[in-house]
């Protein structure tokens, strides 16, 4: 490195001081930027954490809604199966009613036919039995008469025929009554089944359908919210990663600037030492020059004093000492 004079050293120190100040300002700005980025990163992390919590809550809520939907679907399927069973039972009852009505119709036709055979007059079974018993008793106690015997048998046969017809009529009427009662009972059961089906469809199924529609709308709304939250989460993650990269970049820049600042400070210290040394060297030169000048003046005075002494003039001791001092210095 070439030797620089004091002015050049001062200029160099001034230049380096300016660079040091500039680098320090740059470091300050970079640190402010990094701190701002760190604050933004913390804020982004808080927002990301809040969004993730919201996302988890929405997923939990969505899971609950799906469970409710599955339960309602099972209830709906159970209700539909019940409706099918009731419908099948209703069809069975209707078929049974048709069978019974057909049987009653046939019984009524048979009843009409028997009534026609017996002349359509009402028949009392108990009276017929009493009459038959009475005739048989009279026949046993009466004297034997072939003509009356034959008349008795014809009468008995007719009465027994009427009694049999009466018993048949009674059984047919009983069949018709029982069948009619069974038909009425079945009709009542069928009416109850129809009402159950209406209630099941109008109340249970309609209510389940309404709840399912509401839950599906809510599910769709939550799914849309989850999609939006995922998008926001991904955006915040991207921003977080971007901020991390920027912070690392600022830290690297600050590290480089601090290394540069150290180099500048080292160089500045070096030139300050050189300036101090130059100034010290300059002071020594000036001092030596002043001392030499003083010695020269003292020597001159001493020589003048010696010449005066040689001429017999009075000379001060100091003038003579100046000469002696000069001789001692020369020795």
């Amino acid at each position: 490195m070439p030797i620089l004079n004091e002015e050049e050293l001062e200029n160099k120190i001034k230049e380096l001081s300016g660079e040091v100040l500039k680098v320090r300002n740059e470091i300050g700005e970079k640190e402010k930027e990094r701190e701002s980025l760190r604050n933004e990163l913390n804020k982004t992390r808080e927002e990301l954490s809040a969004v993730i919590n919201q996302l988890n809550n929405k997923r939990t809520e969505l899971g609950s809604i799906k469970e409710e939907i599955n339960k309602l679907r099972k209830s709906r399927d159970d209700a539909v199966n019940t409706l099918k069973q009731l419908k099948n039972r209703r069809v069975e009852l209707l078929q049974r009613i048709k069978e019974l009505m057909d049987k009653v119709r046939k019984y009524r036709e048979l009843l009409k036919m028997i009534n026609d055979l017996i002349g359509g007059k009402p028949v009392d079974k108990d009276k017929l039995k009493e009459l038959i018993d009475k005739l048989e008793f009279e026949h046993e106690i009466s004297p034997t008469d072939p003509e009356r015997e034959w008349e008795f048998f014809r009468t008995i046969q007719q009465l027994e025929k009427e009694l049999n017809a009466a018993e048949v009529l009674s059984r047919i009427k009983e069949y018709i009554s029982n069948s009619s009662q069974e038909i009425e009972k079945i009709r009542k059961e069928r009416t109850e089944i129809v009402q159950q089906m209406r209630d099941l469809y109008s109340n249970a199924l309609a209510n389940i359908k309404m709840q399912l529609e509401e839950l599906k709308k809510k599910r769709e709304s939550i799914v849309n919210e989850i999609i939006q939250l995922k998008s926001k989460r991904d955006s915040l993650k991207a921003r977080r990663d971007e901020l991390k990269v920027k912070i690392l970049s600022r830290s690297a820049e600050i590290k480089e600037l601090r290394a540069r600042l150290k180099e500048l400070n080292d160089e500045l210290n070096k030139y300050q030492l050189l300036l101090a040394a130059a100034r010290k060297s300059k002071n020594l030169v000036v001092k030596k020059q002043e001392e030499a000048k003083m010695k020269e003046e003292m020597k001159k005075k001493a020589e003048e004093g010696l010449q005066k002494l040689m001429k017999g003039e009075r000379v001060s001791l100091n003038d003579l000492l100046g000469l002696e001092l000069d001789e001692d210095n020369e020795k």
Side-chain angles (χ1 to χ4, degrees):
M1 183 181 67
I3 298 175
L4 302 177
N5 57 36
E6 187 176 345
E7 183 179 356
E8 289 174 334
L9 289 171
E10 288 176 349
N11 290 335
K12 188 65 176 178
I13 289 171
K14 184 177 180 181
E15 178 185 346
L16 289 172
S17 297
E19 289 187 30
V20 166
L21 181 60
K22 181 181 178 182
V23 171
R24 282 178 178 170
N25 290 335
E26 288 182 15
I27 290 174
E29 290 297 324
K30 296 294 181 183
E31 286 178 340
K32 286 181 181 179
E33 290 179 13
R34 184 176 64 179
E35 187 63 24
S36 176
L37 290 171
R38 283 175 175 172
N39 292 335
E40 187 177 353
L41 177 60
N42 291 333
K43 183 179 178 181
T44 301
R45 281 172 172 165
E46 290 176 0
E47 291 181 11
L48 179 59
S49 178
V51 168
I52 290 174
N53 287 335
Q54 292 178 26
L55 192 57
N56 291 334
N57 291 336
K58 289 298 177 182
R59 283 172 174 165
T60 301
E61 188 176 355
L62 181 62
S64 299
I65 288 176
K66 286 181 177 179
E67 288 181 3
E68 291 182 28
I69 288 175
N70 290 333
K71 288 179 181 178
L72 286 172
R73 282 175 174 169
K74 186 179 183 304
S75 298
R76 181 192 61 188
D77 294 341
D78 292 341
V80 170
N81 290 332
T82 302
L83 275 175
K84 289 180 179 178
Q85 293 173 1
L86 290 172
K87 185 178 179 181
N88 293 334
R89 179 59 180 166
R90 185 189 64 178
V91 172
E92 291 175 2
L93 292 175
L94 182 61
Q95 184 63 31
R96 179 60 179 163
I97 289 173
K98 288 180 179 179
E99 292 174 358
L100 289 172
M101 289 181 70
D102 187 58
K103 187 182 290 186
V104 168
R105 181 181 59 78
K106 291 179 179 179
Y107 280 146
R108 291 185 187 280
E109 290 176 356
L110 181 60
L111 183 65
K112 183 176 181 301
M113 184 179 68
I114 294 173
N115 278 327
D116 291 341
L117 289 175
I118 61 175
K121 60 182 179 180
V123 179
D124 190 336
K125 291 191 299 179
D126 294 334
K127 287 183 178 181
L128 282 174
K129 287 181 180 180
E130 289 178 2
L131 182 58
I132 291 170
D133 291 339
K134 183 178 179 181
L135 289 173
E136 287 178 346
F137 177 74
E138 289 178 353
H139 178 265
E140 289 178 357
I141 63 174
S142 298
T144 303
D145 184 351
E147 187 175 346
R148 289 189 64 185
E149 188 79 16
W150 175 248
E151 182 67 25
F152 169 75
F153 281 116
R154 283 196 307 172
T155 302
I156 290 296
Q157 285 179 351
Q158 181 64 32
L159 291 174
E160 287 179 347
K161 181 179 178 182
E162 291 180 5
L163 180 60
N164 290 334
E167 289 178 350
V168 171
L169 285 174
S170 178
R171 286 198 298 271
I172 290 173
K173 288 179 180 179
E174 185 179 355
Y175 289 151
I176 291 174
S177 176
N178 291 337
S179 296
S180 297
Q181 289 177 6
E182 186 176 355
I183 288 171
E184 187 62 28
K185 183 180 178 181
I186 292 173
R187 280 177 174 169
K188 184 178 179 181
E189 183 182 353
R190 187 171 178 272
T191 301
E192 291 175 354
I193 287 175
V194 170
Q195 187 60 43
Q196 288 179 21
M197 292 175 68
R198 286 176 180 171
D199 292 341
L200 193 60
Y201 184 81
S202 301
N203 297 328
L205 280 176
N207 187 38
I208 290 172
K209 183 179 180 182
M210 182 179 67
Q211 291 183 55
L212 279 173
E213 288 177 354
E214 290 177 357
L215 286 173
K216 285 178 180 178
K217 289 179 181 178
K218 193 172 182 180
R219 179 186 63 185
E220 184 178 355
S221 175
I222 292 175
V223 168
N224 290 332
E225 288 182 32
I226 288 175
I227 292 172
Q228 293 175 1
L229 287 171
K230 281 184 176 180
S231 176
K232 189 174 182 181
R233 178 201 62 187
D234 295 341
S235 176
L236 287 170
K237 281 184 176 181
R239 180 57 180 163
R240 178 197 62 187
D241 295 340
E242 180 184 352
L243 289 170
K244 284 182 178 179
V245 171
K246 287 184 177 181
I247 289 171
L248 290 174
S249 176
R250 295 296 181 279
S251 296
E253 292 173 358
I254 290 170
K255 185 177 180 180
E256 291 178 0
L257 288 171
R258 283 176 176 168
R260 174 61 179 159
L261 181 62
K262 185 177 182 304
E263 292 176 359
L264 290 172
N265 282 326
D266 291 343
E267 192 172 359
L268 179 61
N269 290 334
K270 181 182 70 176
Y271 280 103
Q272 285 175 340
L273 290 174
L274 289 174
L275 178 60
R279 285 176 176 173
K280 186 176 181 181
S281 176
K282 179 181 178 182
N283 291 335
L284 288 173
V285 170
V286 171
K287 185 176 180 181
K288 286 181 178 180
Q289 289 176 349
E290 290 177 351
E291 288 177 352
K293 184 178 180 182
M294 186 180 295
K295 288 178 181 179
E296 185 65 28
E297 290 178 354
M298 290 178 68
K299 182 179 179 182
K300 185 177 180 181
K301 286 181 179 181
E303 288 177 350
E304 289 177 353
L306 182 59
Q307 289 177 1
K308 288 180 179 181
L309 183 61
M310 293 295 292
K311 291 178 180 180
E313 297 179 2
R314 292 184 65 181
V315 181
S316 65
L317 182 60
N318 289 334
D319 292 337
L320 294 175
L321 287 175
L323 180 61
E324 185 179 353
L325 180 61
D326 183 61
E327 289 177 352
D328 290 338
N329 288 334
E330 288 178 356
K331 291 179 181 180

